[in-house]
Every structure is written in C-alpha cells, then in structure tokens.
Amino acid sequence: MARLLSIAAPANGSGKTSLIVTLLRANPGVFTALKASTVYRDGRHCPRTGSGCACRRLEGDYTVITDPGVIGQPGTDTGRMKEAGAVRTLWSLARPGSHAELWSHLSRAVLGDHEPVLCEGTGIIDLARPESIVMVVRPGPSRDRWKAGTWSLMERASLVVVNAAPGEAPGETVPARDLAGEIRARTATPVIVEDVTRPLDLWRSSTLRDLCARLAPVRPGS
C-alpha cells in the first residue's frame, strides 16, 4: 500500500497545489505527486486547464493520466508539480460516486507498495486512508463556498495551514489571524499561519517538515 500525505482545502483557490510544490522543492526526487480531481457532468466546479475544462480528459467514470505530454504542460498544476521535483506526477479524474473504483485501480495498478505520495484532493481521502491530512485554508473565500464536511475534516487533520498572502508577514494580518483563532476555537488541530509559497526551511513551525520525514524517512547512506 502506498503511503499518502493528503493536502485538502475547503474551497478552490486555497493553495493546495502551491503547498505541494513547496514540499516537492524541499524534497526533490522523494515523492510522487498525485492530483485527484472530481469532474461533474454539468461542468460545475470542474478543474480547469489552460485549454478548457478537464472533462475532455475523462474516459468513462474515471481516468488516470500519466502521459508526459499532458502532465508536463507549462502553467498547469501537474506541470508545476513535475517541475518542482516529483519522482513522477499523476493526474486522476473521477465522476462523483466513482472514487472507490478509482482508488482500487490506483492502489492495485499504479502506486507501488510503500510509495510516498503527496496527494491533492479530498475525493479519495476516506478510501486512501492517508497517514496524514493537511488542510490549507485561505481567509478570502466566504463560508458558503466551503465544501460540506470541512470542519469534520479539519478535526481529523494533523495540521491546518492558514495561507497568508504572498509577501505578507505570517501571522500579522488580521484576516489570517482571525481565521486561525476561529479554527483553534472549534478544533483541537494544530494551526499555523504561513505563506505556502515560502521555502519550507523558512517556516517557523517544523510540523510539516516532520510529517514529510515520517512519510519518507531518509535511509542510512542516502
């Protein structure tokens, strides 16, 4: 069974991909990157690419894309992951209700035993049973844009990262500080405020570095 660290968020645009890129840059050649997208038949909330809706890539109820020509397209999420130092980058797409079939295929035929994986997306979390869940939250999106189950997922997470805007001093902006306080009041999960694009070795908290090290420990002589 592969070993997963799942990066989730309550809404699009929270910084999931940016955080994975930061983790990959801090650990080049260590992790597989998996972007797991849910595709809706009516196009609602479908992930967008530079050339349109991701629906056009879906074959059947689920698809796993490994084609380097698709994965490595500049400016795409998977292209950023690949460039940041992923051992390999995968993009899975599934319709609602098809995540069990998708995960069965991924775990049997795609991911290796004990392979360390950074996974973006919430659809397969309950099926994949990741070793750690990290939630990324941005102060901007209103609560009515948050996905159902966000608070319960935060309670299960190992860490919540409140994503400060690039260039802002972490913890000093009122919206980020207020959101971090709200999360601390409602959950027992550790919460930090950080610009997720900052190099990981500059983060004041070592929690995320420790989670990565636990997932892919350095072997003697490596």
Side-chain angles (χ1 to χ4, degrees):
M1 180 71 70
R3 306 180 66 189
L4 270 67
L5 190 163
S6 286
I7 307 296
N12 292 334
S14 299
K16 299 187 299 296
T17 300
S18 293
L19 179 55
I20 287 183
V21 166
T22 294
L23 299 181
L24 291 169
R25 286 176 176 164
N27 301 275
V30 173
F31 294 106
T32 289
L34 168 62
K35 181 177 177 66
S37 301
T38 299
V39 175
Y40 297 84
R41 292 185 185 279
D42 59 3
R44 247 181 347 112
H45 311 304
C46 282
R48 296 278 165 174
T49 68
S51 55
C53 181
C55 295
R56 65 191 181 85
R57 297 285 182 190
L58 186 60
E59 300 174 2
D61 289 328
Y62 70 88
T63 300
V64 178
I65 299 172
T66 59
D67 181 353
V70 175
I71 294 295
Q73 288 182 6
T76 63
D77 289 350
T78 55
R80 293 170 61 199
M81 293 174 184
K82 180 180 179 181
E83 185 180 3
V87 175
R88 58 182 182 143
T89 304
L90 311 169
W91 185 18
S92 70
L93 301 99
R95 297 197 186 280
S98 298
H99 293 99
E101 293 175 271
L102 168 64
W103 177 245
S104 176
H105 174 70
L106 283 168
S107 58
R108 286 186 296 100
V110 180
L111 299 175
D113 195 28
H114 301 297
E115 183 173 357
V117 180
L118 301 178
C119 178
E120 174 188 328
T122 58
I124 62 173
I125 282 181
D126 288 338
L127 298 159
R129 299 181 181 178
E131 297 192 16
S132 302
I133 299 170
V134 174
M135 292 286 291
V136 186
V137 187
R138 188 181 288 278
S142 61
R143 296 293 187 275
D144 59 4
R145 289 183 54 200
W146 281 21
K147 299 172 184 176
T150 288
W151 286 108
S152 61
L153 191 57
M154 282 188 190
E155 291 172 353
R156 295 166 51 195
S158 299
L159 179 69
V160 175
V161 181
V162 176
N163 186 10
E168 292 182 346
E172 294 184 7
T173 61
V174 173
R177 189 167 61 240
D178 287 352
L179 179 55
E182 180 185 359
I183 296 169
R184 291 187 182 105
R186 294 189 57 168
T187 75
T189 305
V191 182
I192 61 174
V193 179
E194 187 61 78
D195 169 9
V196 300
T197 65
R198 275 172 30 109
L200 192 60
D201 61 0
L202 298 181
W203 288 33
R204 294 171 297 171
S205 169
S206 65
T207 302
L208 201 44
R209 293 192 293 272
D210 294 343
L211 291 176
C212 287
R214 193 180 309 161
L215 192 70
V218 177
R219 294 176 174 80
S222 62

